[in-house]
């Protein structure tokens, strides 16, 4: 059993002391990061959530205290009282590196067994171990600071929106299952046997109902759940800074978010961003960057060479253009030295892996450019292409020919790969960007049918409504995305408030009147009692934290994250439940063959 801390009161956290405290007697609590026994001197690095302070024990220390310090090991919980003194050997790597505590009262509060990894070296150990012992990993300074930064972001959000007259309203966590684009997590009901709740993919319907109820401005740090395949920037449960506003348009929504972003960047990183963030239409983003979440920190824009290609005798290009496709290119400046033929072959294999039929190139390393399709060109055609692209000696040109959207998407992905390999992406640059004039429908390449690109409550642009029945490719949504350095942080839109238009949108999604009534009847009914014009958005708190912290994964900014298969290694969730619980829920499990 550990020693009591009765009678001891923390003076301040470990990293809050400096030279101005020299001569003061203080009390600190924390975990032992390191113990160094030099015989007649013992030093202990004591850690809490703010950082480290050095405890010092020497020949003048009480013998019993000195022996306890001698027995102390890593990750033990201890309490120490002593006088702050200036260190002889200073450590400029930590804020408290000029001082130490000459200990006169030392208590071992809790003894730890040898941990399965060094807390300082969490990122050098496999996640199967560190996530199993997540409570230990979170003691790591970097992970601790990530969680503290996430807390700070949440506080800034609440402060900002409260100051702008938003009302925080909690929406239900167990709701009716409604189709919103992803697979629901469902919760069986014991009382209503055979019926299920769903965990919310977002608070979308409920926050719209708060507008109909007259609350005008809603905010919530909302928990959302989606049963999707995971990746580095996705978790099955996540948090968004969710807001909705009445009597506004898209400009007002975006302006409100810009105020938050400006304040967030200044208070977290000391970075000034424009009060008015740049905007780019969806079509401009796709045509220049090959993605609707472009990273604008570097150039290497996609260029269209379809007209040139259609006039050549190179069948691969010409046939693609004749069939309605496109030929697109990017120029990697000064890349010829880095991109040998072997490396280009590797890039080609990657391109094929993401759907390309091949990757044409021009590598201009020597006096004459080396073109992979030169033998199919007539005299002067290669020179004309190089001139159109603005390529010069030392550059490499990469070309994709395919259906227009596919060619753009593939080149957009290659653009990012090449930029990373050439180290073209600058550090410390924060390029926020609004993507506007989003398409309302997107073409399903497999079925040839247009499907909704947004949730079914999104308002079409007024001038696009005329095309709903005639040409879905021309319908634009009154919607927008917020992008930061190539990562989507938020989607937002104005909402449909007309019952007839809302019913029509459901029908265009292939829903019968019976389905509409069953799944969304309560929302449609609410519209009959007069809804204000309203819109909103949800800013991904996890993704914002990941980017501000410079983390590589969402797992690094979430206290207890899930892994790739949506399980939590520490607790063992999900786990089986016993037969009694299953019987109460009216559920019978059937064995499935592997």
């Amino acid at each position: 059993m550990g020693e009591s801390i009765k009678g001891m009161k923390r003076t301040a956290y470990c990293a809050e002391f400096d030279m101005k405290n020299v001569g003061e007697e203080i009390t600190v609590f924390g975990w032992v990061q390191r113990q160094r026994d030099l015989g007649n001197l013992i030093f202990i690095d004591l850690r809490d959530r703010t950082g480290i302070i050095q405890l010092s024990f020497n020949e003048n220390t009480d013998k019993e205290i000195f022996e306890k310090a001698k027995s102390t090991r890593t990750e033990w919980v201890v309490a120490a009282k002593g006088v702050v003194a200036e260190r002889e050997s200073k450590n400029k790597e930590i804020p408290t590196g000029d001082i130490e505590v000459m200990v006169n009262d030392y208590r071992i509060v809790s003894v730890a067994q040898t941990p399965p990894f060094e807390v300082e070296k969490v990122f050098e150990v496999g996640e199967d171990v560190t996530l199993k012992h997540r409570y230990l990993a979170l003691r790591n300074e970097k992970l601790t600071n990530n969680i503290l930064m996430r807390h700070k972001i949440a506080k800034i959000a609440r402060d900002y929106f409260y100051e702008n007259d938003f009302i925080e309203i909690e929406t239900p966590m167990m709701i009716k299952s409604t189709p919103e684009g992803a697979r629901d997590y469902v919760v069986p009901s014991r009382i209503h046997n055979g019926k299920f709740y769903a965990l919310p993919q977002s608070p979308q319907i409920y926050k719209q109902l708060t507008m109909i109820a007259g609350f005008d401005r809603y905010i919530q740090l909302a928990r959302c759940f989606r049963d999707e395949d995971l990746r580095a920037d996705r978790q099955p449960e996540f948090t968004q800074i969710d807001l909705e506003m009445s009597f506004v348009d898209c400009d007002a929504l975006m302006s409100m978010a810009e105020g938050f972003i400006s304040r967030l960047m200044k208070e977290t990183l000391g970075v000034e961003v424009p009060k008015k963030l740049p905007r780019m239409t969806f079509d401009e983003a796709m045509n220049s960057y090959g993605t609707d979440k472009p990273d604008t920190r570097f150039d290497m824009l996609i260029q269209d060479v379809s007209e040139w290609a259609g006039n050549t005798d190179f069948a691969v290009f010409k046939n693609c253009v004749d069939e309605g496709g496109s030929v697109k290119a990017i120029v990697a400046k000064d890349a010829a030295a880095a991109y040998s033929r072997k490396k280009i072959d590797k890039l080609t294999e990657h391109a094929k892996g993401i759907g390309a039929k091949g990757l044409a190139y021009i590598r201009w390393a020597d006096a004459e450019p080396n073109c992979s399709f030169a033998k199919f060109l007539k005299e002067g055609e290669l020179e004309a292409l190089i001139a159109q692209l603005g390529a010069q000696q030392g550059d490499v040109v990469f070309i994709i020919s395919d259906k227009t959207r596919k060619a753009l998407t593939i080149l957009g992905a290659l653009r990012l790969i090449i930029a990373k390999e050439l180290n073209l992406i600058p550090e410390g640059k924060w390029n926020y960007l609004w993507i506007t004039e989003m398409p309302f429908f997107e073409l399903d390449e497999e079925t040839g049918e247009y499907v909704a690109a947004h949730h079914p409550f999104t308002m079409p642009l007024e001038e696009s409504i005329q095309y709903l029945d005639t040409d879905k490719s021309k319908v634009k949504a009154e919607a927008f995305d917020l992008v930061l350095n190539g990562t989507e942080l938020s989607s937002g839109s104005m909402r449909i408030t007309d019952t007839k238009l809302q019913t029509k949108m459901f029908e265009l999604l292939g829903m019968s009147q019976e389905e509409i009534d069953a799944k969304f009847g309560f929302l449609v009914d609410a519209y009959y009692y007069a809804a204000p014009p309203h819109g909103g958005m949800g800013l991904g708190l996890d993704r914002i934290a990941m980017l501000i912290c410079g983390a590589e994964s969402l797992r690094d900014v979430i206290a207890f994250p899930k892994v790739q298969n949506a399980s939590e290694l520490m607790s063992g969730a999900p786990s089986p439940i016993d037969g009694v619980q299953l019987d109460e829920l009216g559920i019978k499990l059937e064995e499935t063959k592997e």
Side-chain angles (χ1 to χ4, degrees):
M1 186 173 176
E3 296 178 272
S4 169
I5 59 170
K6 190 172 182 179
M8 301 182 83
K9 184 178 180 181
R10 190 197 325 248
T11 308
Y13 288 102
C14 290
E16 294 177 343
F17 299 100
D18 55 29
M19 287 292 293
K20 71 177 181 296
N21 302 108
V22 169
E24 296 178 12
E25 186 172 70
I26 66 168
T27 299
V28 286
F29 304 137
W31 285 259
V32 174
Q33 174 130 317
R34 187 185 299 110
Q35 186 254 39
R36 287 164 288 156
D37 188 345
L38 305 179
N40 63 340
L41 281 175
I42 295 173
F43 297 108
I44 288 176
D45 289 342
L46 186 69
R47 178 207 328 119
D48 64 19
R49 75 185 199 195
T50 64
I52 289 171
I53 195 167
Q54 179 172 285
L55 307 181
S56 181
F57 307 79
N58 57 33
E59 66 274 6
N60 296 320
T61 305
D62 177 88
K63 187 175 181 182
E64 184 181 347
I65 290 174
F66 191 90
E67 287 303 314
K68 281 197 285 187
K70 194 177 186 68
S71 71
T72 300
R73 296 294 177 262
T74 303
E75 299 309 321
W76 289 18
V77 176
V78 302
K81 181 189 287 186
V83 177
V84 178
E86 184 174 0
R87 280 172 67 162
E88 288 185 14
S89 178
K90 298 184 179 181
N91 180 359
K92 298 300 180 185
E93 299 298 316
I94 57 174
T96 60
D98 291 339
I99 59 169
E100 62 186 358
V101 181
M102 309 302 293
V103 178
N104 56 41
D105 187 359
Y106 182 73
R107 305 182 194 183
I108 296 172
V109 180
S110 183
V111 173
Q113 65 182 30
T114 303
F117 53 85
E118 290 183 53
V119 166
E120 293 174 84
K121 298 180 179 179
V122 161
F123 295 98
E124 299 173 23
V125 182
E127 283 194 330
D128 55 334
V129 176
T130 58
L131 288 176
K132 174 71 176 173
H133 301 87
R134 184 64 170 180
Y135 42 84
L136 291 179
L138 286 171
R139 296 179 187 175
N140 175 272
E141 182 181 22
K142 184 175 180 181
L143 287 177
T144 296
N145 287 338
N146 286 354
I147 299 301
L148 293 175
M149 177 59 80
R150 181 192 172 99
H151 162 74
K152 186 172 185 177
I153 293 166
K155 184 180 185 302
I156 292 168
R158 282 197 164 99
D159 289 346
Y160 173 80
F161 288 107
Y162 287 178
E163 288 166 18
N164 281 280
D165 299 322
F166 283 76
I167 301 164
E168 183 153 11
I169 302 174
E170 293 181 349
T171 54
M173 297 295 281
M174 296 196 301
I175 65 172
K176 182 185 181 72
S177 180
T178 55
E180 287 193 35
R183 191 182 295 109
D184 282 333
Y185 280 103
V186 295
V187 180
S189 170
R190 177 185 60 83
I191 297 170
H192 304 280
N193 218 254
K195 293 184 179 181
F196 296 81
Y197 302 100
L199 299 181
Q201 293 183 30
S202 77
Q204 186 61 48
I205 295 175
Y206 285 96
K207 68 177 179 176
Q208 288 187 238
L209 290 170
T210 66
M211 297 299 101
I212 296 172
F215 286 102
D216 191 32
R217 293 187 171 194
Y218 143 97
I219 181 70
Q220 183 182 193
L221 268 61
R223 299 291 288 164
C224 306
F225 305 84
R226 294 178 187 176
D227 189 2
E228 300 178 294
D229 295 330
L230 305 190
R231 58 187 188 214
D233 63 345
R234 182 181 285 170
Q235 282 276 302
E237 50 183 315
F238 58 95
T239 305
Q240 62 187 36
I241 303 166
D242 201 50
L243 60 136
E244 198 82 5
M245 299 173 69
S246 293
F247 307 109
V248 293
D249 56 16
C250 280
D251 286 337
L253 283 165
M254 294 158 80
S255 179
M256 184 61 69
E258 285 167 341
F260 167 64
I261 292 298
S262 175
R263 180 158 166 180
L264 174 71
M265 296 301 290
K266 190 170 185 178
E267 292 190 13
T268 55
L269 298 173
V271 171
E272 297 279 352
V273 297
K275 293 266 174 78
K276 190 83 173 169
L277 299 176
R279 299 185 184 190
M280 182 183 294
T281 68
F282 176 89
D283 289 341
E284 289 171 338
M286 290 302 301
N287 288 330
S288 295
Y289 297 92
T291 176
D292 60 354
K293 41 184 180 290
D295 190 337
T296 60
R297 289 175 294 173
F298 63 99
D299 293 324
M300 207 194 313
L301 304 186
I302 297 172
Q303 300 184 57
D304 183 36
V305 295
S306 301
E307 185 177 349
W308 172 89
N311 290 318
T312 69
D313 291 333
F314 183 29
V316 173
F317 288 174
K318 184 175 177 57
N319 292 344
C320 175
V321 175
D322 289 345
E323 291 167 7
S326 297
V327 182
K328 305 284 185 179
I330 53 175
V331 179
K333 304 300 291 182
D334 302 315
Y339 276 90
S340 62
R341 175 61 189 273
K342 185 176 181 181
K343 195 161 186 179
I344 291 174
D345 287 343
K346 187 176 180 181
L347 190 65
T348 301
E349 288 307 308
H350 186 92
K352 288 179 178 177
I354 56 176
K357 296 168 185 171
L359 180 64
Y361 67 88
I362 303 167
R363 180 174 179 267
W364 196 349
D366 303 315
E368 295 297 322
N370 174 26
C371 175
S372 64
F373 51 93
K375 65 181 179 181
F376 301 104
L377 301 180
K378 297 189 289 290
E379 187 176 347
E381 287 182 335
L382 179 58
E383 290 76 14
L385 176 61
I386 288 172
Q388 179 183 337
L389 293 171
Q392 299 173 320
Q393 187 172 355
D395 299 344
V396 181
V397 177
F398 296 101
I399 305 171
I400 293 285
S401 58
D402 214 312
K403 293 178 180 177
T404 302
R405 178 60 66 86
K406 191 173 180 182
L408 288 169
T409 301
I410 292 168
L411 267 186
L414 293 182
R415 174 181 176 268
L416 289 174
I417 293 167
I418 294 165
K420 288 174 183 174
E421 291 181 343
L422 296 178
N423 199 28
L424 299 180
I425 306 175
E427 295 289 329
K429 201 170 182 182
W430 302 90
N431 281 25
Y432 283 92
L433 177 69
W434 290 111
I435 302 298
T436 62
E437 298 183 28
M438 313 288 288
F440 200 94
F441 299 99
E442 53 191 13
L443 185 65
D444 186 321
E445 297 284 354
E446 292 185 9
T447 65
E449 298 290 327
Y450 280 95
V451 295
H454 310 274
H455 61 66
F457 320 111
T458 303
M459 184 72 181
L461 283 172
E462 191 173 344
E463 59 268 29
S464 294
I465 292 175
Q466 61 182 310
Y467 300 115
L468 284 172
D469 293 318
T470 57
D471 189 350
K472 290 186 176 65
S473 67
K474 291 183 179 180
V475 182
K476 300 287 186 182
E478 203 169 344
F480 49 86
D481 284 353
L482 180 61
V483 175
L484 171 58
N485 294 350
T487 296
E488 181 189 316
L489 294 184
S490 175
S491 288
S493 71
M494 293 301 293
R495 320 304 191 190
I496 297 171
T497 55
D498 178 78
T499 51
K500 289 183 180 178
L501 181 57
Q502 183 64 78
T503 299
K504 184 176 183 64
M505 298 312 303
F506 288 143
E507 289 170 349
L508 286 171
L509 295 175
M511 295 174 66
S512 66
Q513 187 60 51
E514 186 177 7
E515 285 181 288
I516 296 169
D517 291 340
K519 293 176 179 176
F520 299 108
F522 65 101
L523 177 65
V524 175
D525 285 349
Y527 286 154
Y528 286 115
Y529 296 95
H534 63 275
M537 59 193 299
L539 292 142
L541 176 58
D542 311 295
R543 290 187 184 182
I544 290 172
M546 180 178 75
L547 293 172
I548 285 179
C549 292
E552 293 184 5
S553 167
L554 286 182
R555 291 196 285 271
D556 294 340
V557 295
I558 294 173
F560 300 102
K562 305 288 191 295
V563 293
Q564 192 75 21
N565 65 0
S567 65
E568 191 215 298
L569 300 185
M570 185 189 68
S571 69
S575 60
I577 59 175
D578 62 40
V580 174
Q581 288 175 290
L582 289 172
D583 289 342
E584 286 178 337
L585 295 169
I587 293 175
K588 183 179 180 182
L589 300 180
E590 291 185 0
E591 288 189 19
T592 55
K593 294 181 180 179
E594 291 289 333

